[in-house]
Amino acid sequence: MMTFRSSVLSPTLLHHVFWNHKEKFQYSVDTYEHWVLFAVEGGSFRYGIGNSEGIAQMGDVIICPPGIDFHREVIHAASFHFIGFSLDSLSGGLGNEGQEDEHNVRLRLAASAYKPAVTHKERLADNLRYFKGQDEAAAQIDQRIYWQNHALNDIWLFCLQSIAAGSVNEDMQPADPLMEQAQLYIRHNAFEDMSMLVLADELGISPVQLTRRFTRSAGMTPSRYLSHIRLEQAKSLLVDTELNLEEIALACGFNNGFYLSRVFTKMMKISPSAYRKTNRV
């Protein structure tokens, strides 16, 4: 197995943009002068980097080295963090040792189709929250950037650990057509009163088999997948409409506004009202 000294290299944040429900990329192909990381929170898009192709969806991280064409096409309106960063040796710059490590990272990323397997999805979500801060007083900007760099380094670390261990991402695993059908069913019925028991019956498998196979295929349980889709819709309605919480809850498949508020606050670490206030332009 190829190894590299992951501690030698450290990312430094250059810029960050969060795109919410982006329906189309401005450019279908782009090439960056620095490293870029796409962390997907919702929706999906096709991508091609070098000789690799794949699909990025919620919970995925795509890393593209500098100087390589990045092809992309939105499948479902995508919400993602676009993070640009430099990659340097902790001793400063990239000497011969650092260049060798960067070369090894590039090779490993290519082997993983530029999508390291993210086994720490909750940890990833926690780190990404540091990138969602709004305008702050000048005195707080340095502190926010410090914590964003800390979060970026943690994301980079577990991505390196994944590719160093030879973890295989879902694009390199045999597809599970039945679970692809399950994902499609959930997406089409997410805003209705749906039951996982009914879904399992429709697929001809037990609820336990559904949970195990779906988790193996999508990286999360079917219930979590459903909640994520509903919350993405709730986030969109909070920002783009004047609907009250009860109306949004019913439009997203939740029983009532109180339950939506409880789930939203638990998963997003912010209340719906606070999210609406901070995300409106």
Side-chain angles (χ1 to χ4, degrees):
M1 176 186 296
M2 182 188 302
T3 60
F4 55 86
R5 298 169 295 279
S6 59
S7 61
V8 172
L9 302 177
S10 176
T12 299
L13 179 68
L14 298 177
H15 57 78
H16 164 264
V17 178
F18 178 69
W19 294 100
N20 192 27
H21 291 88
K22 191 173 183 66
E23 296 184 353
K24 184 178 180 180
F25 287 102
Q26 183 176 4
Y27 302 108
S28 59
V29 184
D30 209 343
T31 306
Y32 303 99
E33 297 181 354
H34 48 262
W35 289 79
V36 295
L37 183 151
F38 287 70
V40 187
E41 289 202 352
S44 58
F45 62 88
R46 292 186 183 86
Y47 72 91
I49 303 175
N51 296 323
S52 299
E53 296 180 349
I55 293 177
Q57 55 189 0
M58 56 181 176
D60 287 338
V61 170
I62 308 298
I63 300 175
C64 182
I68 299 181
D69 287 347
F70 192 128
H71 299 255
R72 58 274 179 99
E73 178 186 10
V74 172
I75 301 173
H76 301 290
S79 298
F80 59 89
H81 296 264
F82 172 71
I83 300 173
F85 61 96
S86 62
L87 195 60
D88 301 302
S89 167
L90 292 177
S91 59
L94 277 178
N96 291 336
E97 186 179 77
Q99 290 175 355
E100 178 183 352
D101 281 345
E102 183 182 15
H103 177 68
N104 287 340
V105 171
R106 284 173 175 260
L107 291 178
R108 276 294 179 183
L109 282 171
S112 70
Y114 298 94
K115 185 168 73 171
V118 178
T119 57
H120 306 288
K121 292 188 184 292
E122 292 296 332
R123 180 171 158 191
L124 172 64
D126 285 340
N127 280 317
L128 291 176
R129 292 190 184 100
Y130 287 103
F131 291 93
K132 286 192 171 180
Q134 301 301 305
D135 293 338
E136 302 176 47
Q140 296 177 297
I141 292 177
D142 287 344
Q143 182 179 14
R144 176 166 58 85
I145 293 175
Y146 168 81
W147 285 110
Q148 287 178 339
N149 269 296
H150 177 79
L152 174 59
N153 273 268
D154 192 51
I155 295 170
W156 178 251
L157 175 62
F158 64 69
C159 284
L160 288 185
Q161 290 173 336
S162 169
I163 61 178
S167 297
V168 181
N169 67 63
E170 63 201 50
D171 283 343
M172 301 175 69
Q173 295 176 349
D176 189 336
L178 198 62
M179 292 305 101
E180 292 177 352
Q181 183 180 341
Q183 290 187 44
L184 184 61
Y185 179 94
I186 292 173
R187 288 200 299 271
H188 284 176
N189 297 278
F191 309 133
E192 307 295 333
D193 183 17
M194 64 168 293
S195 165
M196 294 304 167
L197 294 176
V198 173
L199 173 57
D201 186 62
E202 289 282 345
L203 297 173
I205 58 178
S206 72
V208 172
Q209 288 175 318
L210 170 62
T211 299
R212 288 177 178 172
R213 288 175 62 174
F214 195 98
T215 302
R216 185 166 62 245
S217 175
M220 65 185 71
T221 65
S223 295
R224 181 67 182 239
Y225 185 78
L226 173 62
S227 293
H228 186 94
I229 293 174
R230 288 176 169 175
L231 285 177
E232 284 298 310
Q233 179 70 358
K235 287 161 60 178
S236 178
L237 294 177
L238 283 167
V239 174
D240 299 331
T241 76
E242 298 296 334
L243 296 175
N244 61 42
L245 195 60
E246 191 71 21
E247 292 170 325
I248 291 175
L250 296 177
C252 297
F254 292 96
N255 292 333
N256 52 61
F258 174 77
Y259 182 63
L260 166 59
S261 179
R262 188 173 68 178
V263 174
F264 193 101
T265 303
K266 179 180 179 181
M267 296 186 68
M268 302 302 300
K269 309 302 182 186
I270 185 174
S271 70
S273 58
Y275 182 88
R276 168 174 268 175
K277 180 178 179 180
T278 57
N279 284 276
R280 282 191 164 178
V281 177

